Amino acid sequence: MADRPPRIHLDNADLTRGHPLVVLFRLIRDERRRVVMATASSIINKIFDVMPEILIGIALDVVVRGEASFVAQLGLSDPTDQLIALGIATFLIWFGESLFEYIYQVLWRGLAQDVQHRLRILCYNHAQYLPTRFFEEQRSGNLVTILNDDINQLERFLDGGANTLIQTFAAVILVGTVFFIVSPLIAVVAFLPVPAIIFGAFWFQKRAQTRYDTVRARAGQLGAKLTTNLQGLATIRAFGAEERETEALSQESVGYLTANRAAIRISSAFIPIIRMAILSGFLATFLIGGWMTLNGTMEVGAYGLLVFLTQRLLWPMTGLAEVIDLYERAMASTRRILSLLNEPIAKDEGTHDVAVDGRFALKNVAFRYETSNGGVNGIDLDIPAGHTVALVGPTGGGKSTLIKLIGRFLDPQSGSIALDDVTLDRWTIKALRRSMAWVPQEVTLFAGSVADNIAYGRPDASRDEVIAAARLAEADSFISALPDGYDTSIGEYGQKLSGGQRQRIALARALLLDPRILILDEATSAVDNETEAAIQRSLAKMRGQRTVILVAHRLSTVVHADTIHVMEQGRLTQSGTHAELIRQPGLYRTLWSIQTGEAPRESATVEDISKAARS
C-alpha cells in the first residue's frame, strides 16, 4: 500500500453522507479487494470451525450403528475404516481452520493498521488546509485526540470486532442450515432466542450510542487539557500552580471516567440477559432432542450433533456484547473523524500565478471574529512595492488581523485587498506562499539541526545558501559558535536555544525563501536589545529590495520604516514617517515619549495611553 492518503474529494457531499460505517468503507473503497478476501477467510474459517461438532455427531453414529451408520452409506462398511476416515477428515479440518485463521488475522490486522495509517494521514492532511478561524475556535489537544485516540478506537474494532461479527452471522447461517436438515422442529425451537439476542443488541446499541459520543467528547477535552498543561509546564511551575492544575486535570479525568461508567453499565447488562436467552434455546434442544431420541424418532448421533451445535451457535453470541461495545466506540470515533473531514477547507480558486512585485492596495476592508468584537473595519491602505511599512498600536487594535488578511490567512468580509492590482482571491495560494515569508512572535522550530530549520521552506537549499541567509539575519556568528555549528541539534521547539536565537533562525528561514514580501508579527517584542539591533540591521540591508510589513509594540524597531500606521479599535488613526508622527499630537507621540523616557509613565496600559491621546 502506498504511504499516502487516498485521493478523495472531501467536498463531495455524497461521500460523507450516511451511516459512519458506510462512509468509512467509501473512504477506503480502493481496499475493497482486501476486505472481500478478509471476509471470505473469516467465513471459511468458521465453516471449518463448525465441522468438528458435525464429526462428533457422525462418530457417535458410527459407534452406535456400526455398519448401518451414515458413513457406511458412503461406501465404508467397516466401522474401523469409518473411524480412520473420520480421523483423517478431522486432521484436514483442523489444518484448514488453523490455516484460514492465520490468513484472516493477517488480513484483518493488516487492513486495520493500513486504515489507521490512512485515516490519520488523511485527517492531518485535511487539517492543514482548514481555514485559520477553525484553529482559533478549536483546542489543539482535541485535534490530537481525533488523530490519535479516535483513530486507534477504529483500528481496535477492525482488528478483532469485524471478524467476530462476520463469523457470528456465518455461524447462524451454517448451523441453522444443519439444524433444519436434521430436525426442523428443534431448529425452530433452538432459534427462538436469536431474535431476542438481536433485539437486545439493537437495544444496547441505541442506548450506548449517545453515551459513547459523550465518552469521545470527554476524551477530546481531557486530551486538550493534557496538551495545554504539558506545553505550559514552565508557566505552571513559575506560578506555583501545580496542585491547582492537578486538581483541574483530575476533574477532566473524572468527567471522562463518569462518561465511561455510564456506557459500561449498559454494556455490562447485555451479557446476563443474553445468557438467559441462550439457556432457553439450549434447554429446548437438550430436552426435546432427548425425548425424540428416547422415542426412536432421532438417532443418537443426530442428537449429539444438535446439542453440540446449539453450544456452537448460541454461546459465541455472548461475545456480541464486547464486539458491539467495540463497534459503538469505533462509530463514535468515526463520527468525530468525519466531523473533522467535513470541515470545509480553504479553497484555492485563484488562477493568477506570476512573479510578484509586492504592491498592496486595501479598500474599505472589514473583518470581525464571530466569538469576539475584535477585527478591523474600514481599512484603506496603499503599500508600495519595496517599502517597509509598520503597524503599531494597542493590543486588540487589529494589527495581527490585518496582516492575516494581507497574507490571506483570513478573507475579508467586505472590501478588497489587491496585490499588484489583482485581488488576493484571484491569486493562487501557491503563488502567495511562494512570494511571502512570515516571522511570528511565537517562533515554531522543529526537532532537528539548525540547518534543517533554516532550510525548512527550501529543503533543497545548499549549505552555502543556508549560511548566506543566516548572515543576512545576523545569526551566523552565534550558530558557528554552537558545538556542531549548523549541524547542532536544537531539541523540540528549539528549547536548547535562547528566545533571541530562535527569532534570528526564524528570520533566516524566511529570508532563505528570498520573498518579495516579508511579514514580521511582533518579531522583536520579546527579544533582547542585541537581537533587536541585529534584526534592525537585517531590515536595513533589505531596504528597497522587498516589501516589509512590521507589526511592533517596541517603536524603536520601526523608526526607519518608510511609513508607520497607527491602529486603534480596528481602524487606522494615524499614518506617516516617524519624524512626521512625533510632531503630531496623538497616540504615536505619546507612546514614543513614554518609551524613550521623555514623559512619565503615568498610564498603566497602552489602552489607557490610547484613551489619553484621543482625548
Side-chain angles (χ1 to χ4, degrees):
M1 176 188 151
D3 292 333
R4 64 182 63 180
R7 295 177 180 177
I8 295 172
H9 299 289
L10 293 175
D11 56 348
N12 183 349
D14 292 334
L15 182 67
T16 53
R17 183 183 297 134
H19 191 277
L21 189 61
V22 175
V23 175
L24 173 65
F25 279 107
R26 288 195 196 122
L27 292 175
I28 58 170
R29 58 180 177 265
D30 57 332
E31 296 288 355
R32 192 175 303 163
R33 182 171 176 270
R34 293 176 69 190
V35 173
V36 171
M37 290 175 60
T39 302
S41 299
S42 295
I43 293 173
I44 294 172
N45 170 262
K46 179 51 63 177
I47 293 173
F48 281 119
D49 184 47
V50 170
M51 290 301 293
E53 277 72 18
I54 297 176
L55 291 179
I56 291 173
I58 295 174
L60 287 174
D61 187 55
V62 169
V63 171
V64 173
R65 299 174 65 197
E67 295 182 357
S69 69
F70 169 76
V71 179
Q73 299 175 21
L74 301 178
L76 293 174
S77 58
D78 184 61
T80 302
D81 293 338
Q82 295 175 21
L83 290 175
I84 292 173
L86 289 175
I88 294 172
T90 300
F91 172 80
L92 293 175
I93 287 169
W94 279 72
F95 176 80
E97 179 186 1
S98 300
L99 174 63
F100 280 94
E101 181 173 1
Y102 169 77
I103 293 173
Y104 83 63
Q105 286 193 5
V106 169
L107 288 171
W108 279 119
R109 291 181 178 180
L111 183 65
Q113 293 298 318
D114 287 346
V115 169
Q116 179 189 48
H117 164 72
R118 273 187 170 215
L119 282 180
R120 181 172 290 121
I121 301 303
L122 179 64
C123 288
Y124 172 76
N125 184 61
H126 185 71
Q128 289 185 117
Y129 296 99
L130 292 176
T132 303
R133 67 176 183 274
F134 174 83
F135 297 97
E136 292 172 345
E137 297 169 359
Q138 286 281 338
R139 299 176 70 180
S140 60
N142 186 49
L143 293 177
V144 171
T145 301
I146 293 174
L147 294 173
N148 189 36
D149 193 39
D150 282 317
I151 290 177
N152 287 343
Q153 288 286 352
L154 183 57
E155 181 265 339
R156 292 186 193 107
F157 170 70
L158 291 175
D159 193 16
N163 170 71
T164 302
L165 279 178
I166 290 169
Q167 291 201 325
T168 299
F169 286 112
V172 171
I173 295 171
L174 292 170
V175 174
T177 302
V178 175
F179 260 73
F180 277 98
I181 291 173
V182 176
S183 174
L185 173 62
I186 294 181
V188 171
V189 177
F191 272 74
L192 282 177
V194 173
I197 294 171
I198 295 174
F199 173 79
F202 281 107
W203 179 89
F204 163 74
Q205 178 191 2
K206 183 178 179 180
R207 283 154 181 77
Q209 178 175 321
T210 54
R211 287 171 172 81
Y212 281 121
D213 284 340
T214 303
V215 169
R216 300 317 311 149
R218 282 288 188 176
Q221 294 171 16
L222 180 59
K225 182 65 176 176
L226 281 168
T227 301
T228 301
N229 281 24
L230 290 174
Q231 290 177 346
L233 275 178
T235 303
I236 292 172
R237 291 170 178 168
F239 286 90
E242 292 92 342
E243 292 185 7
R244 187 170 72 250
E245 288 299 334
T246 299
E247 177 60 28
L249 181 63
S250 176
Q251 292 178 6
E252 290 287 356
S253 185
V254 167
Y256 176 63
L257 179 67
T258 302
N260 254 316
R261 283 176 174 169
I264 289 170
R265 280 194 293 270
I266 293 292
S267 62
S268 298
F270 184 67
I271 291 180
I273 294 171
I274 298 307
R275 280 182 180 274
M276 297 308 298
I278 289 171
L279 176 61
S280 64
F282 178 75
L283 286 177
T285 303
F286 184 77
L287 295 175
I288 296 175
W291 175 76
M292 293 175 67
T293 303
L294 290 174
N295 287 340
T297 56
M298 179 179 289
E299 299 297 337
V300 173
Y303 174 58
L305 168 63
L306 294 182
V307 170
F308 284 120
L309 284 181
T310 303
Q311 291 271 67
R312 175 64 64 185
L313 169 68
L314 297 177
W315 283 113
M317 288 191 175
T318 59
L320 281 177
E322 182 179 353
V323 174
I324 293 177
D325 185 75
L326 281 174
Y327 172 79
E328 279 304 327
R329 289 177 182 271
M331 290 304 99
S333 294
T334 302
R335 283 188 286 273
R336 281 165 53 83
I337 293 168
L338 295 178
S339 176
L340 173 62
L341 292 177
N342 281 327
E343 287 288 338
I345 62 173
K347 295 183 179 180
D348 183 7
E349 298 177 347
T351 58
H352 199 67
D353 189 351
V354 297
V356 169
D357 190 26
R359 181 177 67 260
F360 284 97
L362 287 74
K363 296 182 180 179
N364 200 29
V365 172
F367 178 89
R368 285 287 168 184
Y369 295 99
E370 294 179 2
T371 55
S372 69
N373 292 323
V376 296
N377 189 36
I379 301 295
D380 291 309
L381 181 62
D382 288 313
I383 302 176
H387 274 224
T388 298
V389 173
L391 301 174
V392 301
T395 300
K399 303 182 298 297
S400 293
T401 299
L402 185 57
I403 61 171
K404 287 178 182 177
L405 290 165
I406 290 174
R408 213 195 163 191
F409 291 99
L410 297 173
D411 289 321
Q413 294 164 347
S414 63
S416 65
I417 302 176
L419 171 61
D420 297 344
D421 300 322
V422 178
T423 56
L424 289 185
D425 60 342
R426 291 171 54 197
W427 285 88
T428 67
I429 293 295
K430 182 179 180 181
L432 293 177
R433 298 292 171 258
R434 185 179 61 235
S435 306
M436 297 183 186
W438 195 292
V439 182
Q441 178 181 2
E442 297 181 4
V443 173
T444 299
L445 298 181
F446 301 92
S449 68
V450 172
D452 291 338
N453 275 274
I454 294 177
Y456 184 77
R458 278 187 56 200
D460 58 342
S462 67
R463 180 55 62 93
D464 289 340
E465 289 175 315
V466 168
I467 293 173
R471 285 174 178 166
L472 187 57
E474 299 274 345
D476 177 64
S477 58
F478 87 79
I479 294 174
S480 299
L482 294 173
D484 296 313
Y486 283 84
D487 294 316
T488 301
S489 176
I490 62 174
E492 190 175 20
Y493 303 118
Q495 59 188 0
K496 295 182 181 179
L497 302 175
S498 70
Q501 290 172 333
R502 289 196 293 270
Q503 282 285 3
R504 277 185 271 180
I505 287 177
L507 181 58
R509 179 171 62 189
L511 295 176
L512 182 61
L513 296 176
D514 192 24
R516 289 296 304 158
I517 302 159
L518 179 64
I519 300 174
L520 288 84
D521 185 8
E522 300 282 12
T524 62
S525 64
V527 299
D528 54 32
N529 291 333
E530 178 187 355
T531 300
E532 182 188 9
I535 292 176
Q536 286 179 332
R537 288 193 297 271
S538 299
L539 294 176
K541 295 174 185 177
M542 304 175 213
R543 194 177 185 90
Q545 300 177 13
R546 53 177 53 88
T547 303
V548 179
I549 303 174
L550 288 165
V551 173
H553 277 111
R554 192 182 293 182
L555 299 187
S556 56
T557 307
V558 305
V559 292
H560 299 298
D562 295 301
T563 309
I564 301 170
H565 300 283
V566 181
M567 294 193 69
E568 300 179 74
Q569 298 179 350
R571 294 182 176 274
L572 293 177
T573 57
Q574 289 181 282
S575 296
T577 64
H578 170 73
E580 291 170 344
L581 290 175
I582 60 174
R583 290 195 297 267
Q584 301 174 8
L587 176 61
Y588 188 87
R589 187 170 72 179
T590 304
L591 288 173
W592 177 257
S593 298
I594 291 176
Q595 290 189 15
T596 57
E598 296 176 6
R601 298 177 180 267
E602 298 175 351
S603 299
T605 66
V606 175
E607 287 74 9
D608 293 335
I609 297 171
S610 174
K611 292 176 182 177
R614 288 197 301 273
S615 63

